[in-house]
Amino acid sequence: MHPIRKKRLTIVLFLLVGLAIAVGLTTYALRQNINLFYDPSQISEGEAPVDVRIRAGGMVEEGSVVRDPDSLMVEFRVTDFNASVPVQYTGILPDLFAEGQGVVAMGRLDNNGRFVADQVLAKHDENYMPPEVADALEKASKGQHKASDSAESVSY
Amino acid sequence: MWQFFHKLGSPKWFFGIAARLMPWLLAGGILLLVAGIVWGLAFAPKDYLQGNSYRIIFIHVPTAFLAQSVYVMMAVAAVVTLVWRMKLADVFVKSVAPVGLVLTFLSLFTGAVWGKPTWGTWWVWDARLTSMLILLFLYGGVIALDRAINDEKSAARAVSVLVLVGVVNIPIIQYSVEWWNTLHQPSTFKLTEKPSMPAEMWVPLLLSVLGMYLLFGWLACLRMQTEILLREQRTRWVKDYVLAGRG
């Protein structure tokens, strides 16, 4: 390669590497600001500020959704399978909201450790499948449960 | 190998090659894209959770994929411009930047349309969406900078540096969903693993991505030809070409 071109190529590479390091360090330093939400473990460890508008995200705990019969108020717990945070929300929930599904709630943490949300967004994962497959999977996992239950009852 | 490389730098030679490639690119692109989209929208099974609304993925993913990949191609061309001063590389950057802008806009728009029924919001400032918006501004910046400088050579250098600075954003877009908590789900297509959807969903998706690539190739050739004619208008071969009755 021509020496001048070699020199130019080195300069370009230096530019790119330097830039990548600078941006990498900046985003690493700002990672808590770039994160869209706090997860329940961070909230229970007191990392999230109280009475400041923040977002909390995680899975809706199975069997935790309680709807108020007279209003649109809903209470549920958001979990990351390590810790869980109670959430209170008044309003219309997105269609995808369900127990066992991911959500991101926006609101304030009160002094009792309860999260009062004014917006709840549904989060879905990258797995797509036809409804029949999902049904079959669910049946299979229930079948296994039953099988293990009956196995236990036999051994008793 | 170097000889081929230098030949590639000749606008006249590229003009001829592009003219021969274009019908194939156009036909293949339309065929694959139509097949992928019709299959995806009409015949692929619906999703167990999102029902039919997930079908926008067959347009959202190809545009988002191309928006990033066009930028990477522009960055490679920018290195070639800076190091080898090849005119054709600059022609490429200048010609495809508006295409990239439109693709990025389409992916943001289809993403918003998808986000409303599934997430419950058009827009959220999470890392994936924000970095994609920055990509849109980068494309806009490249176009504006190119227009702002009159001298062709200094414009080419300035634009190349800007493109290279912006390329840092590409891995950020790609890995944003893994490095940080985002509302956007992780990628369905991964390089190392099987896609997290059944074949009757990912095959049409792959077809439409490939179709989009070919169609982009056609559009890039077309725009580059125009730019070459404009830049080489004083040369003998362009005069002959135009006088031959094709112009």
Side-chain angles (χ1 to χ4, degrees):
Chain A
M1 210 192 281
H2 199 282
I4 291 183
R5 289 180 185 151
K6 208 168 202 170
K7 200 174 127 199
R8 287 192 203 134
L9 188 62
T10 338
I11 295 174
V12 166
L13 288 180
F14 262 109
L15 172 86
L16 275 182
V17 171
L19 214 65
I21 293 173
V23 172
L25 289 175
T26 315
T27 47
Y28 182 73
L30 291 174
R31 64 194 180 284
Q32 195 49 65
N33 296 5
I34 297 174
N35 276 338
L36 184 70
F37 53 82
Y38 290 92
D39 50 39
S41 304
Q42 287 172 313
I43 293 175
S44 66
E45 280 161 22
E47 275 181 47
V50 174
D51 208 30
V52 174
R53 243 173 101 77
I54 54 164
R55 291 196 189 88
M59 290 283 201
V60 180
E61 209 170 273
E62 298 277 354
S64 72
V65 179
V66 181
R67 286 172 203 268
D68 183 34
D70 300 325
S71 70
L72 285 173
M73 200 179 77
V74 190
E75 282 183 37
F76 54 90
R77 297 183 74 83
V78 166
T79 175
D80 60 358
F81 306 109
N82 241 332
S84 78
V85 175
V87 178
Q88 189 190 60
Y89 172 67
T90 308
I92 298 167
L93 290 162
D95 288 351
L96 253 55
F97 179 90
E99 288 175 2
Q101 281 294 323
V103 287
V104 173
M106 190 158 190
R108 288 163 199 276
L109 204 59
D110 69 11
N111 289 320
N112 310 322
R114 192 170 56 173
F115 193 82
V116 182
D118 50 45
Q119 186 191 33
V120 173
L121 301 177
K123 183 170 157 58
H124 64 88
D125 61 14
E126 74 279 24
N127 298 308
Y128 303 87
M129 55 181 129
E132 306 85 53
V133 177
D135 284 350
L137 275 180
E138 199 170 328
K139 256 183 213 157
S141 72
K142 268 187 189 155
Q144 259 179 0
H145 271 291
K146 253 186 204 158
S148 59
D149 285 352
S150 54
E152 266 172 38
S153 58
V154 166
S155 64
Y156 270 123
Chain B
M1 189 230 154
W2 286 110
Q3 204 188 354
F4 171 77
F5 196 63
H6 288 295
K7 221 177 170 184
L8 193 69
S10 142
K12 186 189 169 191
W13 181 84
F14 177 82
F15 194 89
I17 288 287
R20 261 189 283 163
L21 276 177
M22 275 164 62
W24 297 103
L25 289 172
L26 181 62
I30 288 181
L31 199 75
L32 285 177
L33 200 62
V34 167
I37 287 182
V38 168
W39 186 355
L41 294 189
F43 299 105
K46 60 181 185 182
D47 181 53
Y48 75 108
L49 190 64
Q50 299 178 38
N52 282 319
S53 63
Y54 95 99
R55 288 183 200 276
I56 201 167
I57 198 174
F58 296 106
I59 298 166
H60 177 69
V61 167
T63 52
F65 215 94
L66 258 287
Q68 293 176 63
S69 137
V70 168
Y71 200 91
V72 174
M73 294 183 224
M74 277 170 53
V76 173
V79 173
V80 175
T81 305
L82 286 177
V83 177
W84 285 274
R85 302 271 191 265
M86 192 189 280
K87 274 193 232 159
L88 205 57
D90 175 47
V91 170
F92 176 79
V93 171
K94 200 177 169 182
S95 307
V96 301
V99 183
L101 182 87
V102 170
L103 286 168
T104 313
F105 175 77
L106 281 178
S107 81
L108 285 170
F109 181 77
T110 52
V113 170
W114 193 6
K116 186 63 187 168
T118 47
W119 300 338
T121 180
W122 299 99
W123 183 264
V124 63
W125 291 100
D126 85 347
R128 173 55 79 81
L129 276 66
T130 310
S131 55
M132 206 61 191
L133 188 67
I134 292 173
L135 185 68
L136 184 78
F137 294 154
L138 276 170
Y139 276 122
V142 167
I143 297 169
L145 187 63
D146 187 65
R147 299 270 164 89
I149 304 173
N150 273 327
D151 179 51
E152 207 173 82
K153 275 185 188 164
S154 22
R157 280 177 215 176
V159 164
S160 301
V161 172
L162 176 61
V163 170
L164 277 184
V165 169
V167 82
V168 182
N169 191 32
I170 295 294
I172 295 184
I173 298 178
Q174 194 57 41
Y175 294 105
S176 54
V177 285
E178 286 164 33
W179 290 341
W180 302 293
N181 294 334
T182 56
L183 186 62
H184 195 286
Q185 68 282 7
S187 315
T188 301
F189 275 145
K190 296 168 194 93
L191 278 180
T192 48
E193 291 167 52
K194 277 197 341 188
S196 49
M197 47 170 36
E200 61 262 42
M201 287 178 182
W202 69 254
V203 174
L205 187 53
L206 189 67
L207 288 185
S208 41
V209 170
L210 291 177
M212 199 65 116
Y213 262 105
L214 294 185
L215 222 49
F216 164 76
W218 172 74
L219 201 54
C221 283
L222 186 71
R223 294 184 57 90
M224 283 173 79
Q225 278 194 327
T226 315
E227 181 71 24
I228 287 172
L229 286 183
L230 205 67
R231 287 190 184 193
E232 308 267 301
Q233 52 186 309
R234 282 174 216 289
T235 60
R236 177 103 219 144
W237 73 269
V238 171
K239 275 182 194 150
D240 288 347
Y241 174 79
V242 174
L243 286 178
R246 302 232 16 223

